[in-house]
């Protein structure tokens, strides 16, 4: 093999090229990592936004769910003791797969009851936490949330809540939105904690 002799000028040029390549690779890796972090943050934000939307929907329909649970005609005890025909008579339906329908209704009722219990406990904890904090704003937010979605047979008007709490209607909306975000964190556990960081 022939040996190559590199001039000092070529050696310096080769050194500069190696340095530029190393810097380019390092910069490319850094940009790739930053892009991956940004994509992960965006994914977490979208996930939290979906959970926030779901929390709003659950709270908005809380009274309807509660009514559904009270009016659902089939209970587990009734399902065990009644005949399929008796249950179907209560439901006013007849079909070939009666047992599946009855089991589906019972399962839906049970899932709804579980969700309702979860929401009620979270809101009770939220109110307790707000009152324990001795923070008037947080306490007001908790009670506005309770007034809007839990107490009473229907949702009160924003003007009524504004008068009750001596704030503007716009502040009622802001308090409601902040409270729902805080509730979403409780509702979805560890995913909510990641959002807080």
């Amino acid at each position: 093999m022939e040996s190559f002799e590199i001039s000092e000028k070529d050696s310096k040029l080769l050194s500069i090229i190696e340095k530029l390549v190393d810097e380019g690779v390092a910069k490319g890796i850094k940009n790739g990592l930053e892009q991956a972090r940004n994509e992960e943050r965006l994914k977490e934000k979208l996930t939290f936004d979906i959970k926030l939307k779901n929390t709003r929907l659950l709270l908005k329909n809380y009274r309807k769910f509660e009514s559904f649970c009270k009016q659902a005609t089939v209970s587990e005890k009734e399902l065990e003791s009644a005949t399929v025909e008796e249950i179907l008579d209560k439901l006013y339906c007849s079909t070939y797969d009666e047992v599946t329908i009855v089991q589906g209704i019972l399962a839906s009722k049970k899932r709804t009851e579980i969700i309702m219990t979860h929401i009620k406990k979270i809101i009770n904890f939220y109110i307790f936490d707000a009152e324990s904090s001795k923070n008037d704003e947080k306490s007001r937010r908790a009670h506005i949330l309770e007034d809007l979605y839990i107490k009473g047979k229907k949702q009160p008007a924003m003007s009524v809540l504004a008068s009750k709490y001596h704030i503007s209607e716009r502040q009622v909306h802001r308090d409601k939105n902040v409270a729902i975000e805080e509730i979403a964190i409780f509702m979805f556990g560890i995913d909510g904690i990641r959002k807080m960081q």
Side-chain angles (χ1 to χ4, degrees), residues 168-182:
S168 69
E169 288 184 40
R170 183 66 198 129
Q171 185 61 47
V172 173
H173 282 285
R174 283 191 292 266
D175 284 353
K176 175 191 75 164
N177 291 337
V178 170
I180 289 173
E181 274 194 42
E182 291 173 348

Side-chain angles (χ1 to χ4, degrees), residues 1-5:
M1 266 180 80
E2 288 183 44
S3 63
F4 288 102
E5 282 207 24

Side-chain angles (χ1 to χ4, degrees), residues 29 50 95 98 117 119 128 134 137:
I29 290 171
I50 290 168
T95 181
E98 299 96 354
T117 301
I119 292 170
F128 170 78
K134 306 289 188 220
E137 286 183 33

Side-chain angles (χ1 to χ4, degrees), residues 20 44 66 81:
L20 289 173
E44 286 177 5
E66 194 170 49
S81 63

Side-chain angles (χ1 to χ4, degrees), residues 72-84:
T73 58
V74 181
S75 70
E76 285 181 83
K77 288 182 182 177
E78 289 175 330
L79 186 63
E80 290 171 5
S81 63
T83 65
V84 172

Side-chain angles (χ1 to χ4, degrees), residues 142-168:
H143 287 288
I144 286 173
L145 189 77
E146 183 182 36
D147 288 344
L148 280 170
Y149 300 112
I150 308 301
K151 282 185 177 177
K153 294 190 186 280
K154 64 178 190 168
Q155 186 175 28
M158 292 294 169
S159 58
V160 171
L161 291 176
S163 294
K164 179 179 178 179
Y165 294 102
H166 309 291
I167 57 176
S168 69

Side-chain angles (χ1 to χ4, degrees), residues 122-137:
I122 286 172
I123 289 177
N124 287 339
F125 172 75
Y126 183 64
I127 292 168
F128 170 78
D129 184 52
E131 289 175 350
S132 299
S133 73
K134 306 289 188 220
N135 181 329
D136 292 337
E137 286 183 33

Side-chain angles (χ1 to χ4, degrees), residues 25 29 32 37 47 61 92 149 155 168 179-180 182-183 190:
V25 168
I29 290 171
R37 278 189 215 107
T47 300
N61 292 295
Y92 307 105
Y149 300 112
Q155 186 175 28
S168 69
I180 289 173
E182 291 173 348
I183 287 288
I190 195 71

